[in-house]
Amino acid sequence: MIEKLFHSRWLYLTYIGLVLIVYRLTFSSFALSMQGWGYLLGEVVALAAAIMLIGLNKNNRQQLLALPPKQPYRQVTGRQLGQWFMILLLLQFLFDPAMFGFLSRGYAKLGPAFAEEVHTFFALPSLSDYSGLVITVIVAPIFEEILFRGVFLNVLTRYTDGFAVVASSIAFGIAHGNLIQGTFAFFCGILFGCAYLQYGLKVTIPLHMFMNGVLGTLADVAFVQLGLPNNTIAVVLGATFIIAAILWLVIRWLPRVRWSTNNWVTLGWLVISPTWIIYAIVAAE
């Protein structure tokens, strides 16, 4: 009976939303109530709980145990690395206030609450906070990639790869707890998801680590120390890069995207799923 229920798109996506709720609540209960190793323990226990619940469905178990082989990381070309770097830098310039953050600065002007969100979630990292750096650069990328790409993206490919990338990126964005950082994480998730489909976790985990460690930490500190966010010439160059990168994406990348009507229908079922709505509420608390 349970197996038959999971064949309905709405019920199946509601079931996935329930797993996300359990993951979030389990992680939060450890990370917020314990110091030091609480974050790591929360990630381990929450990931184990999510995998156990996902495994209740036989199709999920079969899908996770019979993953299609990915290309070896040695086949990643210099051109691909350059394109990934360009997209990640574009996202940093759009969202990270320490690296211009044009969208975040506009978002902060909507009111004190919005400004507080930007200040809290894009706070300048401290290079002397070693435990925080380990969590940001090593722990979070490993567990987030395993969960959102290795588990959720894989089981959602039953509805096409494109939908799986978008849906897992929505879940990844919601997990970050607020609109501005969630939007940033959503677009990062799209890139990580596309890279995962081709190369797997062996590429997305290092890519995520590079994003958090180099662009999100070292570059942040360097930009602020050099005064680039408030330098007129640097701002103009940053804006020029953004325009050029967006034009490149529109001209070269968007024509390759294939998004069917069926994907829109499935996405609609996701949006009206009560558990995904509850997951968003829980993540925002």
Side-chain angles (χ1 to χ4, degrees), residues 103-180:
L103 292 182
S104 294
R105 290 170 184 261
Y107 182 80
K109 292 179 180 179
L110 295 177
F114 300 96
E116 181 63 25
E117 279 187 18
V118 173
H119 175 74
T120 300
F121 293 100
F122 287 103
L124 188 68
S126 172
L127 297 182
S128 61
D129 180 10
Y130 301 118
S131 61
L133 289 175
V134 169
I135 289 173
T136 300
V137 180
I138 299 175
V139 176
I142 291 174
F143 283 92
E144 288 176 355
E145 289 306 309
I146 292 174
L147 179 70
F148 292 103
R149 257 62 69 180
V151 176
F152 287 119
L153 188 151
N154 270 311
V155 298
L156 289 169
T157 53
R158 64 171 64 195
Y159 300 121
T160 73
D161 290 351
F163 173 80
V165 169
V166 171
S168 62
S169 298
I170 291 173
F172 182 55
I174 291 174
H176 286 74
N178 68 91
L179 181 59
I180 190 66

Side-chain angles (χ1 to χ4, degrees), residues 6 13 70 76-77 88 105 116 122-123 139 146 154 163 178-179 195 221 226 253 257 262 267:
F6 290 159
L13 292 171
K70 308 295 183 184
V76 177
T77 65
L88 291 177
R105 290 170 184 261
E116 181 63 25
F122 287 103
V139 176
I146 292 174
N154 270 311
F163 173 80
N178 68 91
L179 181 59
V221 174
L226 293 172
W253 185 75
V257 176
N262 192 50
L267 186 61

Side-chain angles (χ1 to χ4, degrees), residues 153-219:
L153 188 151
N154 270 311
V155 298
L156 289 169
T157 53
R158 64 171 64 195
Y159 300 121
T160 73
D161 290 351
F163 173 80
V165 169
V166 171
S168 62
S169 298
I170 291 173
F172 182 55
I174 291 174
H176 286 74
N178 68 91
L179 181 59
I180 190 66
Q181 196 186 27
T183 305
F184 170 68
F186 167 78
F187 286 113
C188 289
I190 295 292
L191 175 61
F192 297 152
C194 292
Y196 174 82
L197 288 174
Q198 191 170 5
Y199 297 105
L201 293 175
K202 60 183 175 293
V203 165
T204 61
I205 289 176
L207 191 62
H208 197 152
M209 288 179 173
F210 174 82
M211 176 71 183
N212 287 9
V214 177
L215 294 181
T217 301
L218 296 179

